[in-house]
Amino acid sequence: MSMNNQGRPTRPEHAEGSADTFTGNRALMLEERLIFEIGAIDRTGIDLDEMPDSASRLGGLERNRSIGLAGLSEPETVRHYTRLSRMNYAIDLGLFPLGSCTMKHNPRLNERIARLKGFADIHPLQPVDTVQGALQVIHELGEWLCRLTGMPAVAMSPKAGAHGELCGILAIRSALEARGDAREVILVPESAHGTNPATAAFAGYRVEDIPATPEGRVDLAALEARLGPDVAGVMITNPNTCGLFEPDMKRISDAVHAAGGLVYCDGANFNAIVGRVRPGDLGVDAMHINLHKTFSTPHGGGGPGSGPVVFSEALAPFAPLPFVEKRGDHYALIEEETAEDHHGSSFGRMVAFHGQMGMFTRALAYMMSHGADGLKQVAEDAVLNANYILRSLEDVLDAPFGKSGPCMHEALFSDKGFAEGFSTLDLAKALIDEGYHPMTMYFPLVVHGAMLIEPTETESKAVLDEFIGALRSVVERAKAGDESLHGAPFHAPRRRLDETGAARKPVLVWSEPEQVEAAE
Ligand SMILES: *Cc1c(COP(=O)(O)O)cnc(C)c1O
């Protein structure tokens, strides 16, 4: 088969296994080429009036050649994106079992609220008096987050989980600097999410690992032994990436505080404990909450997200700007701090404006429609569903921490018992042929060939049973050494891709085939 510069087969013989169709389409599964390949410079879906001469107004800065973007007519445009969307998988198509990602149903009620004109059509530079309702939403959402976490303060502006981590670590650094105690090390347990060490390193800290116990929890003795005057703090993911609650959390916090450090908790997966556990009671000083996971706002494909951070009394004075404050009946947006007004010790600003309005409205609608009891049930059902998966599959799949008791919101398995030469990757690809997005693979690193499955609380028993049946069937093939597994997926829009090549030599820019040929 011939390949063009994108590694995509060229027409007409391009869809593997379907060289017999002229179009490359496979029945109603339609092929789609890049917009650059099907569009043309002189084609467009809109009619614009001739531009009046604007050269004089632009003072010589006007564009003098085409920017070379290919255009399509309106129906071609609609079809292009609709066809692409059909090559994708989505939570609205089926169960999306990615561990740690909380791919749950997003209630349509939230979408309706977010689309109300008073929220959707406002601008961050509008006068504060004209956006009182929006500020009230931000304020009330912050109050919910403080109440649910048992923490006194919250920063609403961070735009994702990892951004929230950075916010928390910068606050920790400011607090330590304010007391003239610049420490250099952040301890990160092996069972933490990968963004934790990345954040600490990005903020200029030296990262040191704390080992996990054979039960998949933080090794408290090893942590205590390492604490000292150079340790700024710890970053602990709880529930951790083995899907387990850290029962020693309070003892960990007490030990870190006694050694003069601060405690960061990664609360991205708060859906496992919301309404059941208040991190403030466990001695946490800062924790981000992924609204786009726990509080159901849609996510995937790079955004949008929202990662508010709650703070303890110790860190509250260092929280970032801007923030919303209620003054009588009025909501003020505090853009600058003065020592008289506030503490005057904010570490500064992480983003231009206040955060993600669309995520705030969705999250608040979700909380208000569930109520405190409903949110508690979210955690209970998320944990129940994960344990149902764990116990339904542990006769065919190795569950390395299955003996440690129930899991939290996700079930973890290893590749132990697969026939020689069969891997977690083979299994994940075969799952695509069964119509499922694969689970999280090869993470956490502490488990060989890890498979991390998070069903979330929004799936019914019938949906879980069907998934369990599909997974069981591919596991049995992997154990029996069914060679066809190595070729999967067979029925997806693309066959197995070169994942190493995609990561090491990504082709991110389209260039005209002639230029590529000339270069080769
Ligand atoms: C998703 C996740 C993050 C990162 O959140 P982003 O919004 O993707 O930046 C961090 N920690 C844990 C445990 C997560 O599950």
Side-chain angles (χ1 to χ4, degrees):
M1 182 194 318
S2 63
M3 291 280 186
N4 70 9
N5 64 319
Q6 302 299 303
R8 297 176 81 260
T10 46
R11 288 182 164 190
E13 35 150 12
H14 60 307
E16 280 168 68
S18 64
D20 53 338
T21 67
F22 173 75
T23 53
N25 296 335
R26 277 172 288 165
L28 301 183
M29 198 65 235
L30 304 175
E31 266 303 317
E32 189 63 8
R33 290 183 292 159
L34 296 177
I35 199 165
F36 301 104
E37 295 169 318
I38 57 176
I41 304 287
D42 55 0
R43 207 178 319 157
T44 171
I46 47 166
D47 280 328
L48 288 178
D49 291 339
E50 270 306 309
M51 286 289 282
D53 179 29
S54 54
S56 53
R57 282 167 45 213
L58 290 172
L61 292 175
E62 70 275 16
R63 202 188 296 286
N64 50 25
R65 51 194 164 95
S66 154
I67 54 173
L69 283 183
L72 294 174
S73 70
E74 183 169 311
E76 287 171 329
T77 306
V78 171
R79 284 183 186 152
H80 176 66
Y81 289 105
T82 304
R83 287 177 176 188
L84 288 180
S85 77
R86 289 177 29 142
M87 293 184 179
N88 219 333
Y89 192 79
I91 188 66
D92 290 344
L93 286 172
L95 176 79
F96 208 131
L98 268 181
S100 210
C101 292
T102 315
M103 304 300 288
K104 66 184 182 187
H105 172 68
N106 302 292
R108 292 305 184 263
L109 170 69
N110 306 348
E111 295 304 312
R112 244 183 107 177
I113 303 296
R115 282 166 176 70
L116 291 176
K117 277 176 144 345
F119 297 129
D121 292 352
I122 56 176
H123 190 278
L125 292 178
Q126 243 170 279
V128 186
D129 286 341
T130 66
V131 289
Q132 284 293 303
L135 296 185
Q136 184 176 353
V137 165
I138 300 175
H139 184 77
E140 284 188 13
L141 178 61
E143 286 191 327
W144 270 91
L145 294 174
C146 288
R147 214 175 317 131
L148 290 169
T149 56
M151 307 278 273
V154 63
M156 299 300 291
S157 62
K159 290 190 186 263
H163 204 214
E165 291 174 30
L166 184 62
C167 173
I169 292 298
L170 292 179
I172 287 177
R173 194 170 70 190
S174 302
L176 291 172
E177 281 171 0
R179 68 174 198 221
D181 184 9
R183 297 173 171 226
E184 291 156 18
V185 178
I186 295 271
L187 304 179
V188 181
E190 276 180 348
S191 56
H193 193 261
T195 47
N196 296 186
T199 297
F202 188 75
Y205 284 104
R206 210 166 68 236
V207 177
E208 286 187 28
D209 269 357
I210 296 296
T213 63
E215 293 78 42
R217 266 112 179 180
V218 176
D219 185 335
L220 180 64
L223 179 89
E224 283 176 337
R226 180 56 191 84
L227 288 170
D230 59 337
V231 175
V234 294
M235 291 185 88
I236 295 201
T237 304
N238 195 14
N240 69 29
T241 59
C242 300
L244 303 173
F245 190 73
E246 293 288 355
D248 287 331
M249 194 64 211
K250 185 75 175 75
R251 289 171 67 191
I252 292 171
S253 304
D254 289 346
V256 174
H257 288 150
L262 290 146
V263 178
Y264 189 89
C265 179
D266 181 333
N269 305 128
F270 192 47
N271 56 314
I273 57 174
V274 61
R276 301 285 313 224
V277 176
R278 300 192 317 164
D281 299 339
L282 302 177
V284 169
D285 290 299
M287 180 178 99
H288 72 270
I289 299 152
N290 285 25
L291 296 187
H292 50 290
K293 292 178 182 171
T294 305
F295 297 111
S296 99
T297 61
H299 64 293
S306 183
V309 180
V310 286
F311 289 112
S312 64
E313 293 290 353
L315 288 185
F318 304 94
L321 294 162
F323 53 87
V324 177
E325 197 170 74
K326 191 171 183 204
R327 294 179 172 167
D329 289 342
H330 185 79
Y331 293 90
L333 189 62
I334 311 298
E335 303 265 6
E336 264 175 70
E337 268 197 335
T338 57
E340 306 85 68
D341 241 8
H342 297 91
H343 311 277
S345 47
S346 163
F347 73 73
R349 186 181 279 265
M350 299 192 75
V351 294
F353 302 113
H354 46 62
Q356 308 277 51
M357 197 63 217
M359 301 289 105
F360 295 157
T361 41
R362 288 178 175 93
L364 187 60
Y366 180 80
M367 290 177 182
M368 294 178 79
S369 57
H370 278 71
D373 285 347
L375 291 175
K376 184 164 160 242
Q377 196 187 339
V378 162
E380 290 169 353
D381 290 352
V383 171
L384 178 66
N385 279 357
N387 278 284
Y388 185 64
I389 299 238
L390 181 69
R391 298 307 171 202
S392 301
L393 286 163
E394 66 184 348
D395 61 323
V396 283
L397 270 175
D398 172 55
F401 304 121
K403 302 267 181 306
S404 309
C407 60
M408 294 300 288
H409 60 304
E410 50 199 2
L412 178 60
F413 299 103
S414 85
D415 61 2
K416 199 165 143 192
F418 289 6
E420 179 74 29
F422 286 81
S423 67
T424 292
L425 188 71
D426 294 322
L427 186 126
K429 298 298 181 190
L431 207 52
I432 295 176
D433 280 340
E434 298 292 338
Y436 290 100
H437 190 288
M439 66 288 276
T440 290
M441 302 182 287
Y442 301 105
F443 177 81
L445 304 175
V446 288
V447 167
H448 196 270
M451 285 164 266
L452 189 62
I453 300 174
E454 180 179 7
T456 83
E457 77 280 4
T458 56
E459 301 302 336
S460 66
K461 180 169 178 295
V463 170
L464 295 184
D465 283 336
E466 193 167 349
F467 173 70
I468 288 164
L471 187 51
R472 178 180 287 277
S473 80
V474 288
V475 171
E476 278 162 0
R477 286 166 63 197
K479 291 177 120 173
D482 176 351
E483 288 295 331
S484 73
L485 229 48
H486 291 314
F490 293 95
H491 306 298
R494 289 291 175 275
R495 296 290 303 279
R496 196 174 294 204
L497 304 175
D498 174 359
E499 307 206 357
T500 313
R504 300 241 165 100
K505 288 189 227 152
V507 181
L508 302 177
V509 179
W510 181 82
S511 31
E512 303 221 26
E514 307 85 78
Q515 290 174 6
V516 174
E517 274 154 30
E520 272 164 4

